[in-house]
Amino acid sequence: MATNEEIVRKAYSTAESKDVVAFAALFADDGIVRDMSTTGEYSGPDVRQIVDIYARAFPNMRRELYHFYNGEGVVVVQLSLNGAHEVLLSFPSGPFRRLARRCTPPAATYGAL
């Protein structure tokens, strides 16, 4: 059986390949993706949206995973998302305006398993 960290690593690897069906299949029915940069939350079949949203806006995005912190069924990932912002970044809550320059902010994603 895979560890929580292995499952989270697989989720990032699958997101990198933009395979939204395989990405969603990694989540339990009550699994949640929280986008800490926008406070967006996705669950059930909607977890696919987070991959689609960023893949459209940042078609060359690469995820660099730095550190994993594990405890009590929660995996915290320190990472950076790197890519050129090509088109409107649009969330269910509304659009973000296009950035005028390359942006490589640090990010952290929290996922309860």
Side-chain angles (χ1 to χ4, degrees):
M1 182 170 188
T3 67
N4 290 344
E5 182 176 325
E6 289 168 339
I7 294 167
V8 171
R9 285 182 182 276
K10 178 69 174 172
Y12 278 106
S13 173
T14 304
E16 191 80 10
S17 70
K18 301 175 186 158
D19 185 344
V20 296
V21 173
F23 181 79
L26 292 167
F27 289 83
D29 292 340
D30 60 349
I32 296 171
V33 173
R34 289 189 181 106
D35 182 345
M36 301 308 289
S37 63
T38 66
T39 68
E41 186 171 292
Y42 306 86
S43 61
D46 290 342
V47 298
R48 298 175 182 198
Q49 290 181 4
I50 196 72
V51 174
D52 278 337
I53 289 167
Y54 283 100
R56 275 194 307 272
F58 300 88
N60 66 344
M61 179 184 283
R62 294 291 170 253
R63 294 152 180 86
E64 188 171 349
L65 310 178
Y66 298 125
H67 300 287
F68 284 75
Y69 306 93
N70 299 284
E72 299 182 29
V74 175
V75 177
V76 177
V77 182
Q78 180 185 21
L79 67 133
S80 67
L81 306 174
N82 304 288
H85 192 176
E86 299 293 333
V87 299
L88 183 66
L89 183 58
S90 187
F91 295 93
S93 60
F96 275 37
R97 64 181 178 82
R98 182 177 173 159
L99 301 175
R101 59 181 171 74
R102 183 174 175 86
C103 183
T104 57
T109 300
Y110 300 79
L113 300 175

